[in-house]
Structures are given as C-alpha cells and as structure tokens.
Amino acid sequence: MTGNSVASHYASSGIAGRLVAALRAEIGPEAAITPDALAPLDHFHGRGVLATRELLAVLAPLPADHVLDIGCGIGGPARWIAAKTGCRVTGIDLTPDFVEAATALTEATGMAGRVRCLQGSALDLPFAESTFDRAYSQNVVMNIADKKRFYAEAFRVLKPGGLLALSNGAAGSGDPYFPVPWAATAATSFLSTVDDTRRDVEAAGFAIERFHDVTDDIRAQVAAQRRRAEAEGLPRLGLHVLMGDRMRTYLANSQRSIEDGRVRMVEVLARKPA
Ligand SMILES: C[S@@+](CC[C@H](N)C(=O)[O-])C[C@H]1O[C@@H](n2cnc3c(N)ncnc32)[C@H](O)[C@@H]1O
C-alpha cells in the first residue's frame, strides 16, 4: 500500500519527452543530449547535481566497478557517475514511470551499454548476494518505513569489502513543512534521526567509514537558493519540468525545513567487512 502511494506521488506520463523538449528549447535542436546537459533536470535532489558530485567524491568508484543505484529515479545520477568514472551502473526504482523515463534518457545519451535501470523494490532487490562492488542511494530512504530491511538488502548484494554511500534527509526537530519533494503528506515520509541512521546502518553489519551531518555546512546555500527562487522564479530547467508546478512549493518547503532544522542532511560511507 505504501509502495503504491510512493509510486503515485512520483508518477507522471511522458517524462522523457517533456525533459528532452525542455532541454532542446534551451540548447538547440542539434546539440547532444549528455548527462551534463540533462543535469539540471534529472538529479532529484534539492541541491541537484552538486549533491551527486559530493556523493561521487565519497564513493569514488573505479572504472572496472559495477555499481548499484538504489532508488535511481529517472537515472540522472547513474548516467552522470558512469560518464564521469567509466564504471557500470545498475539502477533500481519503485516508480514505473521513472524507470521508463530512465531507460529512454539512457538511450538518448548513448549510455545503454553501461547504465541500466530496472523497476523493483529496494526492500527486495532482484540480485544475487555479493553482486556489486559499490552501491549508493540518494534521497530515497526518506520513503522507506522498514530501514532495517533497506540496509540489509544493500549489505546482501554488495561484495565483501564493498562500499555503500548514502546521501539523504533525516529527522530534525519537528516535522517537515509538508508537502516536500519526497512526500505530499506524512503518510509516505519516514525520517529517522541522525543517530538512528548510524545505528541502523551498523546493525545491518556495515562498518561506518565516514558519517557527516552536512546540515550546518549547506544551510546558507539552501537559504540563498530559496531566496533566489522567490525573487527571480525558478530557472527554466529544473525539477519542476519533471514533477510539474507543485515542485515550486515542494522545494521551498524542503529548503525551509532544512533552514529551520526540521530536516537534517546526512552523508554516510559504510563498508561491508571483507
Ligand atoms: C527523491 S527521488 C530520488 C531519485 C534519485 N535517487 C536521484 O537522486 O535523482 C526518490 C526515489 O526513490 C524511489 N523509491 C522510493 N521508495 C522506493 C523503494 N522501496 N524501492 C525503490 N525505489 C524507491 C522513488 O520511486 C523515487 O524515484
């Protein structure tokens, strides 16, 4: 039931066509559709590709690695990371419309040989144990009630010695100002505290290599982003092309939630012991 509600929050038809049309209007009909060109549109994070850049620096995949993206959305981070590093990325996401868009956009960027996105649940990953060298998940666990199962599944499919990088929101003081980008109401928002996040990751068997609450580092940047959007409106290319006009309110609410300490942002690097 929750899974259906999560998928219907993100669902919309014709995503790939809409994004490519918006991008073409900006860069011209002949310009190449690349992961960098798509980046303002396909990284589903309030801080966009900047957040993926930080995640990549933490995970640092090698060109020979097979990497899992848990909750890959429309595949922006997967394509971008594969393009920057040469690694292979397999993504999995619950929302069928997102996986359809991910597949079309991956084809459009010519990256189908190295990036593949599948529909499925993070709580029941359709992979054998010890399949992946590294894994990451960006802004997904906020939709997951069963955190223990989420981390246990990531642990199972990683090879011994494999790394998991997480970048996501956590509970601060008070509820977020709903609606937010990951949930219209509290019914599909499941924020753990920063301390519980650490505890759950360790309980799955991981050894924490890095655990950073980045909220204080990014607060000024988030506030500046919100003020700019209030003064100038959103840029032509942004997540509102993916999610529709409701995204303007969602983004402003999540920015205010971070500024007021109701949502905290954490970055984690954890290793499955060898
Ligand atoms: C805020 S979006 C982030 C997408 C992507 N990680 C990115 O950074 O662009 C959250 C994503 O998590 C996915 N998701 C939520 N619950 C999931 C689950 N149980 N299994 C797989 N994906 C899930 C949603 O479908 C959605 O695509």
Side-chain angles (χ1 to χ4, degrees):
M1 190 57 204
T2 303
N4 288 342
S5 318
V6 168
S8 51
H9 171 73
Y10 293 109
S12 71
S13 56
I15 292 171
R18 198 159 70 238
L19 266 58
V20 169
L23 185 58
R24 287 266 178 244
E26 200 67 19
I27 66 174
E30 304 300 334
I33 305 286
T34 64
D36 275 327
L38 279 169
L41 298 163
D42 64 0
H43 295 245
F44 199 139
H45 190 292
R47 292 169 58 237
V49 68
L50 273 183
T52 309
R53 190 185 296 282
E54 287 167 15
L55 182 82
L56 174 59
V58 169
L59 187 64
L62 305 172
D65 281 347
H66 187 191
V67 177
L68 173 65
D69 181 335
I70 307 170
C72 62
I74 61 170
R79 285 183 293 275
W80 198 83
I81 286 173
K84 297 291 169 204
T85 66
C87 70
R88 192 155 55 101
V89 183
T90 295
I92 185 140
D93 199 279
L94 194 64
T95 303
D97 288 342
F98 275 13
V99 175
E100 188 185 315
T103 303
L105 293 169
T106 300
E107 287 284 341
T109 54
M111 297 199 65
R114 277 192 291 127
V115 177
R116 193 169 63 118
C117 295
L118 310 169
Q119 197 275 331
S121 173
L123 302 180
D124 191 14
L125 293 172
F127 308 111
E129 73 180 58
S130 304
T131 298
F132 296 96
D133 300 289
R134 295 174 202 231
Y136 64 90
S137 186
Q138 175 163 277
N139 268 0
V140 177
V141 77
M142 300 108 86
N143 283 137
I144 307 275
D146 190 348
K147 314 278 188 219
K148 287 186 174 57
R149 177 96 179 243
F150 180 90
Y151 297 124
E153 277 294 88
F155 188 88
R156 182 180 66 76
V157 302
L158 272 172
K159 293 177 183 170
L163 287 167
L164 170 69
L166 303 166
S167 169
N168 50 256
S173 49
D175 290 334
Y177 299 114
F178 288 107
V180 285
W182 66 91
T185 70
T188 52
S189 177
F190 305 97
L191 298 181
S192 284
T193 64
V194 173
D195 288 348
D196 284 351
T197 302
R198 177 190 281 273
R199 189 203 57 199
D200 289 343
V201 171
E202 284 178 335
F206 286 104
I208 303 265
E209 299 223 327
R210 182 174 184 277
F211 193 100
H212 193 187
D213 178 341
V214 298
T215 318
D216 295 337
D217 303 344
I218 64 168
R219 185 174 286 112
Q221 184 189 43
V222 167
Q225 241 178 332
R226 182 176 58 79
R227 283 195 299 269
R228 197 175 323 121
E230 276 170 9
E232 301 166 15
L234 293 175
R236 275 197 293 277
L237 297 185
L239 287 173
H240 50 287
V241 182
L242 169 60
M243 291 290 283
D245 252 9
R246 59 189 169 138
M247 199 64 188
R248 298 172 196 275
T249 308
Y250 289 6
L251 277 176
N253 283 349
S254 69
Q255 288 159 339
R256 281 202 306 127
S257 299
I258 291 169
E259 286 169 60
D260 293 355
R262 289 167 178 259
V263 170
R264 305 199 67 83
M265 298 303 293
V266 293
E267 292 178 359
V268 182
L269 184 68
R271 189 181 292 278
K272 176 173 177 173

